[in-house]
Amino acid sequence: MFFQIIDILGTIAFAISGALVAMNKRMDAFGVLIIAFVTAVGGGTLRDVMIGLEPVSWMRNMTYVYVITASAVFAVIFRKRISYLRTSLFLFDTIGIALYTVVGIETGLVAGLHPIICIALGTMTACFGGVIRDMLCNEIPVIFRKEIYATACILGGLTYFLLLQFLEERNYLFIIAGLVVITVRLLAVKFKISLPSLYKKED
Amino acid sequence: MFFQIIDILGTIAFAISGALVAMNKRMDAFGVLIIAFVTAVGGGTLRDVMIGLEPVSWMRNMTYVYVITASAVFAVIFRKRISYLRTSLFLFDTIGIALYTVVGIETGLVAGLHPIICIALGTMTACFGGVIRDMLCNEIPVIFRKEIYATACILGGLTYFLLLQFLEERNYLFIIAGLVVITVRLLAVKFKISLPSLYKKED
Amino acid sequence: MFFQIIDILGTIAFAISGALVAMNKRMDAFGVLIIAFVTAVGGGTLRDVMIGLEPVSWMRNMTYVYVITASAVFAVIFRKRISYLRTSLFLFDTIGIALYTVVGIETGLVAGLHPIICIALGTMTACFGGVIRDMLCNEIPVIFRKEIYATACILGGLTYFLLLQFLEERNYLFIIAGLVVITVRLLAVKFKISLPSLYKKED
């Protein structure tokens, strides 16, 4: 129940962030809805397709469809005032990537995959909705350039598998891994830490 | 038989439209062929992959390969005169999205999915070939910005499921839904109706 | 064993080429790693997903993860000197597409697909990692415009199925097909042959 509420909050944050990007690109209502959807479920869809869990999860649970549609409508109606919600959205988004990371790791474990692949699946679940959003909006994906976003997911995943040596109770591990993701992301934003660009100077 | 002919006409229209876009982007013969293919089968491929119908449909029926290749060759040879065919191509394309919408809905029903998901699959089948074409050509997908294209598919899908309450004969329903898609699209183009852009003004 | 070594050399070349493109786009370490990965395994992933071989191959064999990560790190460290390796990289890359083409054809044959589909799968395996790399980097895929790259793969595939009429021993066929890919690519680069652009002049 607790996890489900956080999952929905994360979905809302991703859907609204997608809708805002789409509106800034002057898309019409259909475009805004699709980008909201893709941002919220794109990562999980890619994960499910790659490991063979089909139909993909949002086709089996209508909650996502309703929540994302409502979030997109909300973003459209309140588009001029949504900057007041910026902090809340950032928090939802941060909680969202933490939860999506954990969901991705869990999915990989259930499929019997190697820990490194599980961490990759967690990061993919959390980050690739935004990557597909940016591809559709004709931008180089922002997470490849600016923010410690994926890195937070990877560190959360590493923590999970390191602690797995000592702890047996998975639920605790998931909570700890999620808290690592959230902490790294908040600290990175607060102290404006980002990975350096690896620009290759021409000889 | 009747459906198959329309399916092939739709495939031809999609393949030619893809080839024309690729030539305008100064692609070579291989690029033109690939973009023709992607435009014609991209939506159905995405649908099949997401619900787990693999190998995807164009790998199981060689008709698509032959029809698309022939269409691409035709578009290349007659590239300077193809503007005379503009109206025919527009009609094929419109019939094509109507049929693709119906095929997508049917595929979702067979897989036992929720009506909303079926409508999404119909729209995806009809529209996402063009979306992938535009992504490969480094453009923001045109259907997110300009035309009542996806909206026609969605309205056709809604009509299908509304009438399903009253009618039992699926074939009639498919024909009616297809006609709704065609009518909405033709009216939208004739009267230059499009969805408004939801541009978010900066505060 | 021989094939495995070539497979790894090809993977290294693809991963390094991806990392170099990503660094030129000023991506950070995470972006460089992801683009290296996508370039090396993107084509095979697309192939596996479309024919229903899941989890996709790089999730089942950790060698790819290690080799690609090491290649990306190598490319980052030696990014200023890598131009000395240009010829070696070009050779690895050419051997890589030859092997990837053969692997894709073999995968299609095992899945019982039509020869034309097998050739398409071989070409996809060899070329679509680069296509996805270019999409993520916001470029029109280079293979649609400039080089006889996909064409070499297609010719190799055709050779395979033509000789299949006369020869029974698949291993020889694979080697011959691979050599055709390599020869066509080397000759095309040496004599600067490329497919003509099919630019559609406006009437």
Side-chain angles (χ1 to χ4, degrees):
Chain A
M1 190 59 200
F2 172 69
F3 273 118
Q4 282 179 346
I5 290 173
I6 292 188
D7 187 14
I8 288 173
L9 291 179
T11 304
I12 291 172
F14 282 135
I16 291 180
S17 97
L20 295 179
V21 172
M23 283 188 282
N24 271 327
K25 285 278 172 178
R26 298 172 177 263
M27 291 188 182
D28 63 23
F30 176 73
V32 170
L33 185 62
I34 293 295
I35 302 292
F37 245 93
V38 159
T39 311
V41 303
T45 299
L46 201 63
R47 177 199 67 214
D48 287 351
V49 162
M50 282 191 185
I51 62 180
L53 287 179
E54 291 131 343
V56 297
S57 56
W58 59 270
M59 293 188 182
R60 283 174 280 141
N61 181 347
M62 294 305 292
T63 311
Y64 293 107
V65 173
Y66 302 138
V67 166
I68 294 168
T69 306
S71 303
V73 170
F74 175 87
V76 167
I77 293 175
F78 294 102
R79 64 188 178 276
K80 286 178 191 165
R81 299 197 196 147
I82 220 151
S83 57
Y84 296 117
L85 296 172
R86 203 170 294 273
T87 311
S88 310
L89 280 177
F90 172 72
L91 285 177
F92 286 2
D93 183 66
T94 301
I95 296 170
I97 61 164
L99 190 94
Y100 277 33
T101 304
V102 166
V103 169
I105 292 172
E106 170 74 6
T107 311
L109 285 171
V110 170
L113 298 168
H114 188 283
I116 294 182
I117 302 297
C118 292
I119 295 174
L121 287 172
T123 309
M124 194 188 284
T125 308
C127 301
F128 271 63
V131 169
I132 305 175
R133 174 198 65 207
D134 291 342
M135 288 171 78
L136 286 171
C137 292
N138 204 13
E139 303 279 351
I140 293 184
V142 68
I143 68 156
F144 294 168
R145 288 187 302 169
K146 272 196 209 148
E147 290 188 62
I148 297 213
Y149 194 96
T151 310
C153 304
I154 294 170
L155 291 176
L158 285 174
T159 307
Y160 179 90
F161 284 103
L162 287 178
L163 292 183
L164 193 60
Q165 317 295 324
F166 311 108
L167 273 169
E168 294 238 338
E169 181 54 67
R170 277 199 186 175
N171 281 340
Y172 291 146
L173 286 176
F174 284 139
I175 291 171
I176 294 170
L179 289 176
V180 169
V181 176
I182 292 172
T183 309
V184 172
R185 173 117 167 92
L186 291 182
L187 288 177
V189 170
K190 180 154 184 66
F191 296 107
K192 298 193 178 153
I193 302 163
S194 69
L195 296 181
S197 152
L198 296 170
Y199 181 56
K200 184 172 81 82
K201 290 189 194 68
E202 297 300 327
D203 309 53
Chain B
M1 189 61 199
F2 172 70
F3 272 118
Q4 281 179 347
I5 291 173
I6 292 188
D7 187 15
I8 287 173
L9 290 179
T11 304
I12 291 172
F14 281 134
I16 291 181
S17 97
L20 295 179
V21 172
M23 284 189 281
N24 272 327
K25 285 278 172 177
R26 298 172 177 263
M27 290 188 183
D28 63 24
F30 175 73
V32 170
L33 185 62
I34 293 294
I35 302 292
F37 244 93
V38 160
T39 311
V41 303
T45 299
L46 201 62
R47 177 200 67 215
D48 288 350
V49 162
M50 281 192 185
I51 62 181
L53 288 178
E54 292 133 342
V56 297
S57 55
W58 60 269
M59 292 189 182
R60 282 174 282 143
N61 181 347
M62 294 306 292
T63 312
Y64 293 107
V65 172
Y66 302 138
V67 166
I68 294 168
T69 306
S71 304
V73 170
F74 175 88
V76 167
I77 293 174
F78 293 102
R79 63 186 178 279
K80 287 178 190 166
R81 297 194 197 150
I82 220 151
S83 56
Y84 297 117
L85 296 172
R86 204 169 293 272
T87 310
S88 311
L89 279 177
F90 172 72
L91 284 178
F92 287 0
D93 182 67
T94 301
I95 296 169
I97 61 164
L99 189 93
Y100 276 33
T101 303
V102 166
V103 169
I105 291 173
E106 171 73 7
T107 311
L109 285 171
V110 170
L113 297 169
H114 188 283
I116 294 181
I117 302 297
C118 293
I119 296 174
L121 287 172
T123 308
M124 194 188 285
T125 308
C127 300
F128 270 64
V131 170
I132 304 175
R133 174 198 67 208
D134 292 342
M135 287 171 78
L136 285 171
C137 292
N138 204 11
E139 304 278 351
I140 293 184
V142 68
I143 68 157
F144 294 168
R145 287 188 301 171
K146 273 195 206 148
E147 291 188 63
I148 296 214
Y149 194 97
T151 311
C153 305
I154 294 171
L155 291 176
L158 285 174
T159 307
Y160 179 90
F161 284 102
L162 286 177
L163 292 182
L164 193 60
Q165 317 296 323
F166 311 109
L167 275 169
E168 294 238 340
E169 182 53 69
R170 277 198 186 174
N171 282 340
Y172 291 145
L173 286 177
F174 283 139
I175 292 171
I176 295 170
L179 290 176
V180 169
V181 176
I182 292 172
T183 309
V184 172
R185 173 117 167 93
L186 291 182
L187 289 177
V189 169
K190 181 157 183 64
F191 296 107
K192 297 191 178 155
I193 301 163
S194 70
L195 296 181
S197 153
L198 296 170
Y199 181 55
K200 184 173 81 83
K201 290 186 196 70
E202 296 301 326
D203 308 54
Chain C
M1 189 60 200
F2 172 68
F3 272 118
Q4 282 180 346
I5 290 172
I6 293 188
D7 186 15
I8 287 172
L9 290 179
T11 303
I12 291 172
F14 281 134
I16 291 179
S17 97
L20 294 179
V21 172
M23 283 188 281
N24 271 326
K25 286 278 172 179
R26 297 171 178 263
M27 291 187 184
D28 63 24
F30 176 74
V32 170
L33 184 62
I34 293 294
I35 302 292
F37 245 93
V38 160
T39 311
V41 302
T45 299
L46 201 63
R47 176 200 69 216
D48 288 349
V49 161
M50 281 191 185
I51 62 181
L53 287 178
E54 293 131 343
V56 298
S57 56
W58 60 268
M59 291 189 183
R60 282 174 282 142
N61 181 346
M62 294 305 294
T63 312
Y64 293 106
V65 172
Y66 302 138
V67 166
I68 294 167
T69 306
S71 303
V73 170
F74 175 87
V76 166
I77 293 173
F78 294 102
R79 63 187 178 278
K80 287 178 189 165
R81 300 197 195 147
I82 220 150
S83 56
Y84 297 117
L85 296 172
R86 204 170 293 273
T87 311
S88 311
L89 279 178
F90 172 72
L91 285 177
F92 287 0
D93 181 67
T94 301
I95 296 169
I97 63 165
L99 189 95
Y100 277 32
T101 303
V102 166
V103 169
I105 292 172
E106 170 73 8
T107 311
L109 285 171
V110 170
L113 297 168
H114 188 282
I116 294 182
I117 301 296
C118 293
I119 295 174
L121 287 173
T123 309
M124 194 187 286
T125 308
C127 300
F128 271 63
V131 170
I132 304 175
R133 175 199 65 207
D134 292 342
M135 286 171 78
L136 285 171
C137 292
N138 205 11
E139 303 280 350
I140 293 184
V142 68
I143 68 156
F144 295 167
R145 288 187 301 169
K146 272 195 207 150
E147 291 188 64
I148 297 213
Y149 195 97
T151 311
C153 305
I154 294 171
L155 292 175
L158 286 173
T159 307
Y160 179 90
F161 284 102
L162 288 176
L163 292 181
L164 192 60
Q165 317 296 323
F166 311 108
L167 274 169
E168 294 239 339
E169 181 53 68
R170 276 196 187 176
N171 282 339
Y172 291 147
L173 287 176
F174 283 138
I175 291 170
I176 295 170
L179 290 176
V180 169
V181 176
I182 292 172
T183 310
V184 172
R185 172 117 168 92
L186 291 182
L187 289 177
V189 169
K190 179 155 184 65
F191 296 107
K192 297 192 180 156
I193 302 163
S194 69
L195 296 180
S197 152
L198 297 170
Y199 180 55
K200 185 173 80 83
K201 290 188 194 68
E202 295 301 327
D203 309 51

